Amino acid sequence: MEAVFIYIAKSAVLMLLFYCVYFFLLRRETFFNSNRWFLLSGLIISSILPILSYTKVIWIDVAPNLNSNIQSALLSAPEKQSSDNNWSFIILGLYVIGFLIFLLKLAVDFYSLNSIIKGKKVKQQADFKFIDTEENIAPFSYFEYIVYNSSLYTVTELENIIEHEKVHSDQNHTIDVLISRFFSIIFWFNPIVWLYKKAISQNLEFIADSEASKKLADKKAYQYTLLKITTHENCVAITNHFYQSLIKKRIVMLNKNQSKKRNSWKYYVVIPALAAFVLLFQIEVIAKERPQIVNENESNIKSVDVYKIRKNSTDAELNEIKNNLQKNHNIKFEASDVRRNSSDELTSIVVDVTKGKQRAKSVQSSDKAINEFGVLVITYKNGDKKIGIQTINDSNNKESKVALSKGITSVNVNTDKKNDTNSPSSDSHIIITNNPNSKTDTHVNINSSTSTKTNSNTNTDISTVVTTDSDSKTSTKITIVGEKSNIAFSNSAKKNKAEGSPLVIIDGEEMPANYDLKRIDSKHIEAINVFKGEDAISRYGEKGSNGVIEIELKVGDKHTKY
């Protein structure tokens, strides 16, 4: 409802703009035909321009208490909205009543016109249809029809009248009259539309007077004819009739010298005014919350699916994985460079998985059987999906490598089995080597979490890699899921909180507790070692209870202080 009122208000403003330019600058000029198109374009622009708008998006960082502000606003909204709706319906009801009244008046005028034309003898001459009626009405034209009562005028007067009406008919002035009439019905409440309608009709008479006087030998006789008909009161609406008020102005314009062409600059005054209108009212500014990159946790995840590829996987099984990924997740799966040994075990395979701009790739090639891995699909509660490669560690697998997209060259998951293989306190750490061509920063966050179950319904410890396109604003996550901890690597620039943050060691030097990792440019990093649990405590004592991040800088950057 509010949108309708705004549209009507904007249209009224534009109509007022064109009318003011015409009234103050153009109505005394003899550019009658130009004025005609100027006035018509004003009506068309005033009806179309308010619909057109340009949307400008402004990204904002939302304050922490924004949600509470929104909730309080929503709680107070219903009462105010209910009150506004009551007034809206009242105003709408008044508008509809006025609209129906003027629409009914238009129907009556059409009926009156039809009763005058219908059944009358029509004399065809060129493109005109002449009707000589016996009714006491003023001469008028309606499209190709020209109606008059010849008994009321002399031969000379009738000639002047017919030439005048021919101009109206030949230039289709009836269309202008109908357009202005329809606008006066739609915007009946706006006084400007009635002045605008009058200006259009008056200018049409100026055009007809000017063109008719050029074809007549006696210009003064034409003016006397105008004066004779000023007392005629019987006129048909929605037509161009010879009788019009303001006869004095018509005679003045007939005798006025032609305006100089340099005065045509006045038409262009409306252009900067229209530009100002667009800038002020037609640019819609939308504030959007800047995407917040946060650590992922199980509360946001709906499901985790892993499609395992083992050393003895057959071509049929690979094809089944491909079909399931396409069918269930709309993910494209390609397996190439597939080779097997004499025991029919996979020794070489390249797996390329893509979904939109996301891409994950695994390359394995050696003389021995491949390390088992899986295609990982994380489905979030909001329907989004992320893809990656899951490396599956076992007692025979000391090191697994996964190829990633931009930002990280490789991820090595090293496990030294100091204790029993089933012990959760096994010595393990992760080394991340940055791509020197990447401009993205690598940040490390350590969070407490429980283990994530795969679709195999086991609690197997996994190393998860989730990659996204470098042009995407979403974070790239690498999650190592163990029995008691969750380590996530993200290229977000979110500052670590001092409380519960890991101990940061750069080239052997301990950093302060509130140290901000985003101060480090990833191009200077040679490697990152992450220690967790008992392993971190055994190396650094209680200071390592929240985990330890060891960062080794490149040789040329050893002197750099952070």
Side-chain angles (χ1 to χ4, degrees), residues 132-133 135-140 147-162 165 224-235 241-243:
D132 189 356
T133 182
E135 298 183 31
N136 185 20
I137 58 175
F140 68 87
V147 182
Y148 55 88
N149 187 344
S150 60
S151 63
L152 300 177
Y153 312 104
T154 64
V155 175
T156 302
E157 291 171 346
L158 188 59
E159 181 184 359
N160 294 336
I161 291 171
I162 290 176
E165 298 302 332
Y224 285 132
T225 303
L226 291 180
L227 291 172
K228 179 178 179 180
I229 309 179
T230 54
T231 57
H232 211 306
E233 297 180 356
N234 295 329
C235 301
H241 40 82
F242 190 82
Y243 165 75

Side-chain angles (χ1 to χ4, degrees), residues 323-530:
N323 294 335
N324 289 336
L325 284 171
Q326 180 65 43
K327 178 182 178 181
N328 299 331
H329 306 286
N330 194 25
I331 294 174
K332 185 178 180 181
F333 173 92
E334 293 293 338
S336 59
D337 195 23
V338 178
R339 294 196 297 272
R340 292 182 170 83
N341 57 21
S342 58
S343 301
D344 206 23
E345 295 176 332
L346 286 169
T347 58
S348 173
I349 187 171
V350 176
V351 171
D352 199 341
V353 187
T354 56
K355 180 176 177 59
K357 291 186 177 181
Q358 298 185 65
R359 182 179 182 185
K361 189 173 184 179
S362 176
V363 179
Q364 294 196 49
S365 180
S366 67
D367 296 333
K368 299 179 179 180
I370 66 168
N371 298 319
E372 293 185 0
F373 65 99
V375 176
L376 178 73
V377 181
I378 300 177
T379 304
Y380 296 90
K381 291 181 179 179
N382 61 1
D384 293 341
K385 294 179 183 290
K386 285 188 179 179
I387 61 175
I389 301 297
Q390 170 196 330
T391 59
I392 303 172
N393 297 325
D394 55 29
S395 58
N396 297 323
N397 182 15
K398 299 294 184 180
E399 183 174 350
S400 301
K401 293 185 178 181
V402 182
L404 306 175
S405 61
K406 295 180 181 179
I408 299 176
T409 302
S410 64
V411 177
N412 301 335
V413 182
N414 299 299
T415 303
D416 297 327
K417 302 294 181 179
K418 292 180 179 180
N419 303 319
D420 182 73
T421 56
N422 295 324
S423 174
S425 61
S426 299
D427 184 13
S428 63
H429 62 275
I430 301 171
I431 301 176
I432 298 182
T433 305
N434 287 330
N435 187 343
N437 296 324
S438 173
K439 295 183 180 180
T440 57
D441 293 334
T442 301
H443 295 271
V444 182
N445 300 316
I446 300 181
N447 303 313
S448 177
S449 177
T450 58
S451 62
T452 301
K453 294 183 179 181
T454 68
N455 64 347
S456 61
N457 296 321
T458 66
N459 289 328
T460 305
D461 291 348
I462 62 173
S463 170
T464 301
V465 179
V466 179
T467 66
T468 62
D469 188 89
S470 61
D471 295 331
S472 174
K473 294 183 179 180
T474 59
S475 62
T476 300
K477 301 286 183 180
I478 304 169
T479 304
I480 308 303
V481 180
E483 184 175 352
K484 293 184 178 180
S485 62
N486 174 28
I487 302 178
F489 297 80
S490 170
N491 59 354
S492 69
K494 189 172 182 180
K495 186 176 180 180
N496 291 317
K497 296 181 180 179
E499 183 179 356
S501 60
L503 176 65
V504 179
I505 306 293
I506 300 180
D507 285 341
E509 181 179 350
E510 182 179 332
M511 296 293 104
N514 60 349
Y515 182 75
D516 187 1
L517 285 171
K518 76 175 184 178
R519 294 170 55 186
I520 305 178
D521 192 335
S522 62
K523 66 183 179 181
H524 299 309
I525 298 176
E526 179 67 28
I528 300 177
N529 300 335
V530 180

Side-chain angles (χ1 to χ4, degrees), residues 281-299:
F281 303 110
Q282 296 309 107
I283 296 181
E284 182 181 3
V285 179
I286 298 178
K288 288 188 176 182
E289 178 183 347
R290 194 183 304 278
Q292 301 295 317
I293 303 176
V294 297
N295 291 333
E296 300 175 21
N297 52 62
E298 292 183 5
S299 62

